[in-house]
């Protein structure tokens, strides 16, 4: 099957794209672990093109999911024309997750894949796929260990896609979020060893919405025991440090319960780099 596209697919990406489409050939159906990020969106798009109604997106709704992201998964699944199942869970009931050690993501993903077991039974779909790509393989990602234990397939890895390839093909296929900034669950804003609580998660979610409402695209608000450490794209630092906007953001975040508000002058760094002060 040829991939329908709105923009030409670069020559060096055509073979990978054909391989990606082939990953879904012969399957009875797939459940796509769908976060609303560009990686899993591309997987869902291709799965839907090959399998039609037999491609189903599944999103876990929990306190660790930013409210904006839940809105995004609904919009994107509708845009693609794929069925969406939103399954409720609460990782805060998992003591090992709340402890927030180096295996936090493992416990989170294990909870997700266990959550999918009844969905597999109800739908009759055995195959679960995720949005991991080859650039993820060199990182310390305990969540990928959980995926392997549950037999989750990673079509982007199988087809040799890196992050740049994902964005290029997502744009070619007309996906609205092809250039969406990287996202991660809210628990990644809390330093290792600091207990994860619903209050902290909600405070971070609300604080990041303040920054997004100010026009910043790549945002992290790290919660260091009541001190907010703001990260934005380095190019956006001057806008954040504008005295009027800085004062407005500071007042808003203090109103949420942060005692101190700071700006990280190094700017945004990929999640996983959060550290104690």
């Amino acid at each position: 099957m040829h991939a329908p596209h709105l923009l030409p697919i670069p020559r060096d990406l055509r073979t990978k794209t054909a391989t990606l489409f082939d990953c879904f050939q012969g399957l009875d159906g797939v459940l796509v672990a769908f976060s609303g990020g560009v990686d899993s969106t591309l997987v869902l798009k291709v799965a839907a093109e090959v399998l039609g109604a037999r491609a189903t997106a599944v999103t876990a709704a929990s306190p660790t999911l930013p409210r904006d992201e839940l809105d995004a998964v609904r919009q994107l699944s509708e845009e693609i024309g794929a069925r969406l199942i939103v399954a409720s869970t609460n990782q805060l009931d998992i003591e090992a997750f709340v402890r927030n050690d180096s295996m936090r993501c493992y416990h989170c993903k294990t909870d997700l894949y266990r959550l999918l077991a009844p969905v597999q039974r109800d739908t009759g779909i055995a195959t679960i796929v995720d949005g991991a790509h080859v650039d993820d393989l060199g990182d310390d990602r305990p969540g990928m260990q959980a995926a392997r234990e549950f037999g989750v397939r990673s079509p982007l890895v199988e087809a040799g896609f890196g992050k740049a390839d994902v964005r290029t093909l997502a744009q070619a296929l007309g996906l609205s979020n092809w250039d969406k900034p990287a996202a991660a669950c809210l628990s990644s804003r809390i330093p290792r060893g600091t207990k994860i609580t619903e209050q902290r998660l909600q405070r971070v979610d609300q604080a990041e919405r303040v920054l997004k409402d100010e026009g910043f695209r790549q945002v992290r608000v790290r919660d260091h025991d009541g001190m907010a450490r703001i990260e934005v794209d380095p190019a956006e630092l001057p806008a954040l440090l504008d005295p009027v906007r800085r004062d407005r953001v500071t007042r808003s975040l203090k109103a949420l319960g942060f005692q101190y508000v700071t700006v990280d002058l190094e700017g945004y760094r990929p999640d996983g780099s959060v550290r104690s002060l």
Side-chain angles (χ1 to χ4, degrees), residues 74-97:
R74 292 190 171 112
Q75 176 187 334
L76 288 163
S77 58
E78 182 176 346
E79 177 183 310
I80 291 170
R83 178 189 180 195
L84 171 66
I85 296 175
V86 178
S88 296
T89 187
N90 190 348
Q91 294 95 347
L92 298 180
D93 293 334
I94 305 170
E95 182 179 350
F97 174 84

mmCIF file of all heavy atoms in Angstrom, residues 74-97:
data_model
loop_
_atom_site.group_PDB
_atom_site.id
_atom_site.type_symbol
_atom_site.label_atom_id
_atom_site.label_comp_id
_atom_site.label_asym_id
_atom_site.label_seq_id
_atom_site.Cartn_x
_atom_site.Cartn_y
_atom_site.Cartn_z
ATOM 1 N N ARG A 74 -7.976 13.470 22.021
ATOM 2 C CA ARG A 74 -9.335 13.402 21.463
ATOM 3 C C ARG A 74 -9.392 14.073 20.086
ATOM 4 O O ARG A 74 -9.979 13.548 19.143
ATOM 5 C CB ARG A 74 -10.324 14.044 22.432
ATOM 6 C CG ARG A 74 -10.509 13.259 23.737
ATOM 7 C CD ARG A 74 -11.678 13.801 24.547
ATOM 8 N NE ARG A 74 -12.002 12.941 25.673
ATOM 9 C CZ ARG A 74 -11.841 13.258 26.947
ATOM 10 N NH1 ARG A 74 -11.357 14.439 27.277
ATOM 11 N NH2 ARG A 74 -12.178 12.417 27.905
ATOM 12 N N GLN A 75 -8.779 15.237 19.990
ATOM 13 C CA GLN A 75 -8.791 15.970 18.731
ATOM 14 C C GLN A 75 -8.040 15.197 17.650
ATOM 15 O O GLN A 75 -8.511 15.087 16.504
ATOM 16 C CB GLN A 75 -8.165 17.343 18.926
ATOM 17 C CG GLN A 75 -8.031 18.154 17.639
ATOM 18 C CD GLN A 75 -7.262 19.448 17.840
ATOM 19 O OE1 GLN A 75 -7.223 20.000 18.925
ATOM 20 N NE2 GLN A 75 -6.614 19.914 16.784
ATOM 21 N N LEU A 76 -6.876 14.661 17.984
ATOM 22 C CA LEU A 76 -6.044 13.997 16.989
ATOM 23 C C LEU A 76 -6.647 12.680 16.517
ATOM 24 O O LEU A 76 -6.589 12.358 15.329
ATOM 25 C CB LEU A 76 -4.643 13.756 17.565
ATOM 26 C CG LEU A 76 -3.785 15.017 17.710
ATOM 27 C CD1 LEU A 76 -2.622 14.759 18.645
ATOM 28 C CD2 LEU A 76 -3.286 15.484 16.346
ATOM 29 N N SER A 77 -7.231 11.916 17.433
ATOM 30 C CA SER A 77 -7.847 10.655 17.016
ATOM 31 C C SER A 77 -9.028 10.921 16.092
ATOM 32 O O SER A 77 -9.252 10.188 15.107
ATOM 33 C CB SER A 77 -8.281 9.838 18.232
ATOM 34 O OG SER A 77 -9.192 10.561 19.043
ATOM 35 N N GLU A 78 -9.753 12.000 16.368
ATOM 36 C CA GLU A 78 -10.864 12.382 15.493
ATOM 37 C C GLU A 78 -10.331 12.840 14.134
ATOM 38 O O GLU A 78 -10.904 12.514 13.083
ATOM 39 C CB GLU A 78 -11.683 13.493 16.149
ATOM 40 C CG GLU A 78 -12.898 13.921 15.339
ATOM 41 C CD GLU A 78 -13.748 14.961 16.046
ATOM 42 O OE1 GLU A 78 -13.564 15.162 17.271
ATOM 43 O OE2 GLU A 78 -14.600 15.578 15.375
ATOM 44 N N GLU A 79 -9.246 13.588 14.154
ATOM 45 C CA GLU A 79 -8.622 14.070 12.923
ATOM 46 C C GLU A 79 -8.196 12.902 12.032
ATOM 47 O O GLU A 79 -8.366 12.937 10.806
ATOM 48 C CB GLU A 79 -7.407 14.924 13.306
ATOM 49 C CG GLU A 79 -6.582 15.466 12.177
ATOM 50 C CD GLU A 79 -5.378 16.237 12.709
ATOM 51 O OE1 GLU A 79 -5.557 17.114 13.581
ATOM 52 O OE2 GLU A 79 -4.258 15.956 12.249
ATOM 53 N N ILE A 80 -7.664 11.853 12.662
ATOM 54 C CA ILE A 80 -7.202 10.689 11.914
ATOM 55 C C ILE A 80 -8.364 9.771 11.540
ATOM 56 O O ILE A 80 -8.307 9.046 10.555
ATOM 57 C CB ILE A 80 -6.148 9.921 12.749
ATOM 58 C CG1 ILE A 80 -4.867 10.773 12.857
ATOM 59 C CG2 ILE A 80 -5.831 8.555 12.164
ATOM 60 C CD1 ILE A 80 -3.853 10.246 13.845
ATOM 61 N N GLY A 81 -9.435 9.840 12.321
ATOM 62 C CA GLY A 81 -10.574 8.966 12.079
ATOM 63 C C GLY A 81 -10.444 7.628 12.763
ATOM 64 O O GLY A 81 -11.022 6.630 12.322
ATOM 65 N N ALA A 82 -9.672 7.578 13.850
ATOM 66 C CA ALA A 82 -9.455 6.333 14.576
ATOM 67 C C ALA A 82 -10.283 6.314 15.857
ATOM 68 O O ALA A 82 -10.495 7.352 16.497
ATOM 69 C CB ALA A 82 -7.974 6.174 14.926
ATOM 70 N N ARG A 83 -10.736 5.154 16.221
ATOM 71 C CA ARG A 83 -11.448 4.984 17.481
ATOM 72 C C ARG A 83 -10.501 5.261 18.641
ATOM 73 O O ARG A 83 -9.325 4.879 18.604
ATOM 74 C CB ARG A 83 -11.979 3.551 17.593
ATOM 75 C CG ARG A 83 -12.710 3.254 18.896
ATOM 76 C CD ARG A 83 -13.002 1.764 19.021
ATOM 77 N NE ARG A 83 -13.702 1.464 20.268
ATOM 78 C CZ ARG A 83 -13.827 0.232 20.774
ATOM 79 N NH1 ARG A 83 -13.315 -0.806 20.125
ATOM 80 N NH2 ARG A 83 -14.472 0.041 21.902
ATOM 81 N N LEU A 84 -10.999 5.932 19.668
ATOM 82 C CA LEU A 84 -10.202 6.234 20.857
ATOM 83 C C LEU A 84 -10.866 5.633 22.083
ATOM 84 O O LEU A 84 -12.057 5.830 22.308
ATOM 85 C CB LEU A 84 -10.063 7.754 21.041
ATOM 86 C CG LEU A 84 -9.434 8.222 22.359
ATOM 87 C CD1 LEU A 84 -7.969 7.802 22.440
ATOM 88 C CD2 LEU A 84 -9.569 9.738 22.521
ATOM 89 N N ILE A 85 -10.064 4.914 22.870
ATOM 90 C CA ILE A 85 -10.502 4.419 24.164
ATOM 91 C C ILE A 85 -9.697 5.148 25.235
ATOM 92 O O ILE A 85 -8.464 5.121 25.216
ATOM 93 C CB ILE A 85 -10.288 2.897 24.296
ATOM 94 C CG1 ILE A 85 -11.156 2.148 23.276
ATOM 95 C CG2 ILE A 85 -10.611 2.424 25.716
ATOM 96 C CD1 ILE A 85 -10.904 0.648 23.255
ATOM 97 N N VAL A 86 -10.385 5.835 26.135
ATOM 98 C CA VAL A 86 -9.721 6.496 27.258
ATOM 99 C C VAL A 86 -9.955 5.638 28.495
ATOM 100 O O VAL A 86 -11.092 5.472 28.942
ATOM 101 C CB VAL A 86 -10.262 7.923 27.482
ATOM 102 C CG1 VAL A 86 -9.590 8.558 28.698
ATOM 103 C CG2 VAL A 86 -10.024 8.776 26.241
ATOM 104 N N ALA A 87 -8.882 5.069 29.007
ATOM 105 C CA ALA A 87 -8.961 4.183 30.166
ATOM 106 C C ALA A 87 -8.442 4.921 31.394
ATOM 107 O O ALA A 87 -7.336 5.469 31.378
ATOM 108 C CB ALA A 87 -8.142 2.912 29.921
ATOM 109 N N SER A 88 -9.231 4.952 32.441
ATOM 110 C CA SER A 88 -8.851 5.688 33.657
ATOM 111 C C SER A 88 -7.969 4.830 34.556
ATOM 112 O O SER A 88 -8.195 3.631 34.726
ATOM 113 C CB SER A 88 -10.100 6.116 34.427
ATOM 114 O OG SER A 88 -10.870 7.023 33.670
ATOM 115 N N THR A 89 -6.966 5.469 35.106
ATOM 116 C CA THR A 89 -6.095 4.804 36.061
ATOM 117 C C THR A 89 -5.537 5.869 37.010
ATOM 118 O O THR A 89 -5.764 7.063 36.818
ATOM 119 C CB THR A 89 -4.946 4.061 35.353
ATOM 120 O OG1 THR A 89 -4.212 3.285 36.314
ATOM 121 C CG2 THR A 89 -3.991 5.032 34.676
ATOM 122 N N ASN A 90 -4.816 5.438 38.021
ATOM 123 C CA ASN A 90 -4.223 6.381 38.975
ATOM 124 C C ASN A 90 -2.928 5.791 39.502
ATOM 125 O O ASN A 90 -2.934 4.948 40.401
ATOM 126 C CB ASN A 90 -5.183 6.677 40.128
ATOM 127 C CG ASN A 90 -4.681 7.831 40.999
ATOM 128 O OD1 ASN A 90 -3.522 8.253 40.882
ATOM 129 N ND2 ASN A 90 -5.529 8.334 41.869
ATOM 130 N N GLN A 91 -1.817 6.236 38.922
ATOM 131 C CA GLN A 91 -0.517 5.721 39.360
ATOM 132 C C GLN A 91 -0.201 6.107 40.798
ATOM 133 O O GLN A 91 0.700 5.524 41.410
ATOM 134 C CB GLN A 91 0.591 6.225 38.432
ATOM 135 C CG GLN A 91 0.518 5.704 37.021
ATOM 136 C CD GLN A 91 -0.203 6.654 36.100
ATOM 137 O OE1 GLN A 91 -0.856 7.605 36.549
ATOM 138 N NE2 GLN A 91 -0.111 6.414 34.795
ATOM 139 N N LEU A 92 -0.930 7.085 41.352
ATOM 140 C CA LEU A 92 -0.671 7.476 42.743
ATOM 141 C C LEU A 92 -1.090 6.397 43.723
ATOM 142 O O LEU A 92 -0.768 6.469 44.911
ATOM 143 C CB LEU A 92 -1.393 8.789 43.059
ATOM 144 C CG LEU A 92 -0.952 9.996 42.219
ATOM 145 C CD1 LEU A 92 -1.733 11.234 42.625
ATOM 146 C CD2 LEU A 92 0.542 10.233 42.344
ATOM 147 N N ASP A 93 -1.801 5.382 43.238
ATOM 148 C CA ASP A 93 -2.137 4.234 44.076
ATOM 149 C C ASP A 93 -1.007 3.208 44.112
ATOM 150 O O ASP A 93 -1.090 2.225 44.843
ATOM 151 C CB ASP A 93 -3.416 3.543 43.558
ATOM 152 C CG ASP A 93 -4.652 4.418 43.713
ATOM 153 O OD1 ASP A 93 -4.654 5.279 44.618
ATOM 154 O OD2 ASP A 93 -5.599 4.241 42.928
ATOM 155 N N ILE A 94 0.033 3.434 43.311
ATOM 156 C CA ILE A 94 1.157 2.500 43.226
ATOM 157 C C ILE A 94 2.309 3.043 44.075
ATOM 158 O O ILE A 94 2.937 4.050 43.726
ATOM 159 C CB ILE A 94 1.602 2.312 41.761
ATOM 160 C CG1 ILE A 94 0.417 1.864 40.896
ATOM 161 C CG2 ILE A 94 2.754 1.317 41.668
ATOM 162 C CD1 ILE A 94 0.703 1.890 39.416
ATOM 163 N N GLU A 95 2.592 2.391 45.165
ATOM 164 C CA GLU A 95 3.600 2.893 46.106
ATOM 165 C C GLU A 95 4.960 3.062 45.435
ATOM 166 O O GLU A 95 5.668 4.050 45.668
ATOM 167 C CB GLU A 95 3.721 1.944 47.291
ATOM 168 C CG GLU A 95 4.713 2.400 48.347
ATOM 169 C CD GLU A 95 4.785 1.449 49.528
ATOM 170 O OE1 GLU A 95 3.940 0.536 49.617
ATOM 171 O OE2 GLU A 95 5.686 1.623 50.376
ATOM 172 N N ALA A 96 5.345 2.110 44.591
ATOM 173 C CA ALA A 96 6.656 2.176 43.940
ATOM 174 C C ALA A 96 6.737 3.360 42.990
ATOM 175 O O ALA A 96 7.816 3.942 42.799
ATOM 176 C CB ALA A 96 6.932 0.876 43.192
ATOM 177 N N PHE A 97 5.629 3.748 42.383
ATOM 178 C CA PHE A 97 5.613 4.919 41.501
ATOM 179 C C PHE A 97 5.728 6.200 42.318
ATOM 180 O O PHE A 97 6.523 7.091 42.002
ATOM 181 C CB PHE A 97 4.320 4.938 40.681
ATOM 182 C CG PHE A 97 4.147 6.173 39.843
ATOM 183 C CD1 PHE A 97 4.724 6.271 38.589
ATOM 184 C CD2 PHE A 97 3.405 7.258 40.312
ATOM 185 C CE1 PHE A 97 4.576 7.423 37.820
ATOM 186 C CE2 PHE A 97 3.247 8.406 39.555
ATOM 187 C CZ PHE A 97 3.834 8.483 38.305
#
